[in-house]
């Protein structure tokens, strides 16, 4: 099967190696490639199709490929900031693989993802230094580790409507101030580490994550505003249910027992009462806000930033007058 074909002067691509083969056979350096392409609707995979095409900046229509593989498709396309049109078929299929799909696209300024379910989206936009806004509210994601890590210009983001693994998702997004759409996030370890400008997460009300899997969630977020973990029922019970589901253990809310708890000093024990676990849960929630300047209330699961006194503000303002 031919990997590409020129039709009416336009490059049509039929396999994930089509662009590479075209460049090689026509003496074009991959990093210099920058011409319109049409990707076949029958293509099996788009993995690394344009990877390393540093000059590429053409409008792109992305079809739903047979294998649902898009890993590294535009990896290190340093100039890319063009229009993306997604196939409407994305909404009909799950477990789409987008690891490193746009990683290193340092000119990309905004992105709106189509309705779809992503299985693995690790580092999907990692290192997109010009990305300012990302709208992911139409998608659900299983694994979004480092999805937006080191997006140094990212200011606001709409999270996926369902997200299981969000560890290190926004590491070092120093200008990120607003996060909307917090739903069903379970694992959030170091999710916002280094987001020094972060102030608002879902208007300060977050559904309960698994606290033992969310340590350092706000590490370095010294400007974080008031935030509370909430649930339809009891927040502690909700955390235990999530932990049970995550480890396929059995938590009996009616009996108040939890079997084979897989953490801490209780690792080898077999059964614990709910009251003991609530103490551990409260301590685990507190660790989420470790080293932040504010205070955490274990009873209400609420973090409150430090209150700046008027006198200290006045002194600062007066001092600035002389600088």
């Amino acid at each position: 099967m031919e990997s590409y074909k020129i039709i009416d002067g336009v490059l049509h691509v039929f396999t994930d190696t089509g662009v590479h083969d075209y460049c090689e056979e026509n003496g074009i350096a991959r990093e210099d490639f920058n011409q319109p392409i049409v990707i076949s609707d029958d293509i099996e995979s788009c993995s690394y199709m344009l990877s390393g095409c540093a000059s590429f900046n053409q409008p792109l229509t992305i079809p739903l490929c047979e294998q649902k593989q898009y890993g590294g498709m535009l990896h290190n396309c340093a100039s890319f900031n063009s229009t993306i049109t997604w196939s409407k078929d994305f909404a009909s299929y799950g477990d789409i693989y987008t690891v490193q799909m746009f990683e290193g696209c340092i000119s990309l300024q905004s992105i709106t993802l189509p309705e779809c379910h992503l299985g693995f989206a690790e580092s999907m936009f990692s290192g997109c230094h010009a990305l300012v806004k990302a709208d992911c509210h139409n998608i659900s994601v299983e694994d979004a580790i480092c999805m937006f890590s080191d997006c140094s210009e990212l200011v606001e983001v709409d999270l996926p409507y369902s997200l299981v693994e969000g560890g290190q998702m926004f590491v070092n997004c120093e200008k990120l101030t607003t996060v909307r759409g917090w739903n069903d996030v379970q694992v959030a370890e170091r999710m916002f580490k280094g987001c020094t400008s972060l102030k608002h997460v879902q208007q300060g009300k977050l559904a309960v994550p698994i606290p033992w899997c969310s340590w350092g969630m706000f590490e370095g977020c010294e400007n974080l505003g008031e935030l509370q973990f909430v649930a339809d029922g009891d927040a502690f019970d909700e955390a235990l249910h999530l932990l049970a589901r995550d480890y396929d253990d059995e938590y009996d809310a009616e009996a108040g027992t939890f079997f084979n708890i897989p953490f801490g000093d209780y690792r080898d024990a077999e059964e614990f009462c709910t009251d003991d676990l609530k103490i551990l849960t409260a301590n685990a929630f507190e660790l989420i806000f470790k080293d932040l300047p504010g205070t955490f209330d274990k009873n209400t699961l609420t973090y409150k930033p430090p209150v700046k006194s008027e006198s200290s503000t006045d002194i600062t303002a007066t001092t600035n007058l002389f600088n």
Side-chain angles (χ1 to χ4, degrees):
M1 176 182 178
E2 57 187 353
S3 61
Y4 74 90
K5 188 175 183 179
I6 303 297
I7 303 176
D8 296 329
V10 177
L11 177 61
H12 288 246
V13 177
F14 305 109
T15 73
D16 53 8
T17 65
V19 173
H20 170 78
D21 294 342
Y22 170 79
C23 290
E24 188 173 71
E25 292 172 15
N26 290 274
I28 301 172
R30 192 175 178 87
E31 58 268 23
D32 295 331
F33 176 79
N34 182 31
Q35 67 183 73
I37 68 171
V38 175
I39 303 174
S40 171
D41 289 335
D42 298 324
I43 198 166
E44 291 187 355
S45 168
C46 289
S47 293
Y48 295 94
M49 175 184 288
L50 289 155
S51 177
C53 295
S55 301
F56 182 75
N57 188 29
Q58 299 289 338
L60 198 59
T61 297
I62 302 179
L64 182 70
C65 58
E66 183 177 331
Q67 297 177 5
K68 297 178 287 187
Q69 297 284 332
Y70 299 87
M73 181 179 179
L74 289 116
H75 182 257
N76 287 338
C77 289
S79 300
F80 185 76
N81 186 36
S82 196
T83 305
I84 298 175
T85 302
W86 304 85
S87 168
K88 62 182 179 180
D89 295 328
F90 273 91
S92 304
Y93 292 85
D95 296 327
I96 296 170
Y97 184 89
T98 59
V99 172
Q100 298 180 319
M101 185 174 182
F102 296 94
E103 184 178 32
C105 291
I106 59 176
S107 299
L108 185 65
Q109 295 180 9
S110 66
I111 190 74
T112 299
L113 294 177
E115 181 181 352
C116 63
H117 174 75
L118 304 183
F120 294 92
E122 295 179 31
S123 302
M124 185 175 179
F125 298 98
S126 181
C128 292
H129 300 310
L131 189 65
V132 175
K133 184 177 180 180
D135 186 348
C136 306
H137 82 278
N138 275 326
I139 71 171
S140 61
V141 187
E142 289 291 325
D143 187 340
I145 293 176
C146 296
M147 187 173 181
F148 291 96
S149 64
D150 297 311
C151 290
S152 54
E153 295 295 319
L154 187 64
V155 174
E156 57 182 287
V157 65
D158 293 275
L159 289 177
Y161 67 80
S162 178
L163 170 63
V164 177
E165 168 64 85
Q168 302 181 65
M169 188 173 181
F170 298 100
V171 165
N172 296 330
C173 293
E174 299 173 354
K175 294 186 178 181
L176 183 64
T177 60
T178 304
V179 177
R180 294 181 293 267
W182 181 278
N183 295 297
D184 198 29
V185 180
Q186 295 180 34
V187 179
E189 185 176 357
R190 294 184 174 87
M191 186 172 183
F192 298 102
K193 179 182 178 182
C195 296
T196 54
S197 300
L198 185 63
K199 296 179 181 179
H200 308 292
V201 181
Q202 189 60 13
Q203 300 178 334
K205 301 284 187 180
L206 298 191
V208 177
I210 303 174
W212 301 279
C213 301
S214 301
W215 287 315
M217 179 177 175
F218 295 104
E219 185 177 333
C221 300
E222 297 182 354
N223 290 300
L224 186 66
E226 184 171 328
L227 187 150
Q228 182 180 23
F229 289 115
V230 296
D232 292 336
D234 183 273
F236 292 101
D237 282 343
E238 179 66 20
L240 299 182
H241 278 296
L242 286 172
L243 185 66
R245 183 169 64 180
D246 192 56
Y247 285 98
D248 294 325
D249 284 313
E250 180 180 355
Y251 172 60
D252 188 335
E254 185 175 347
T257 57
F258 193 115
F259 300 91
N260 300 320
I261 195 76
F263 65 89
D265 296 335
Y266 296 87
R267 187 180 300 275
D268 298 325
E270 294 181 353
E271 183 177 318
F272 313 94
C273 70
T274 302
D275 289 340
D276 288 339
L277 284 171
K278 283 188 176 182
I279 295 174
L280 290 175
T281 305
N283 291 336
F285 273 119
E286 187 175 39
L287 284 173
I288 290 176
F289 300 94
K290 186 183 180 214
D291 298 328
L292 291 189
T295 57
F296 182 72
D297 187 326
K298 293 183 182 180
N299 295 316
T300 62
L301 300 182
T302 301
Y303 170 81
K304 291 187 177 182
V307 178
K308 295 182 179 179
S309 65
E310 293 183 6
S311 58
S312 63
T313 303
D314 291 339
I315 292 173
T316 302
T318 303
T319 304
N320 289 340
L321 290 176
F322 295 94
N323 289 337

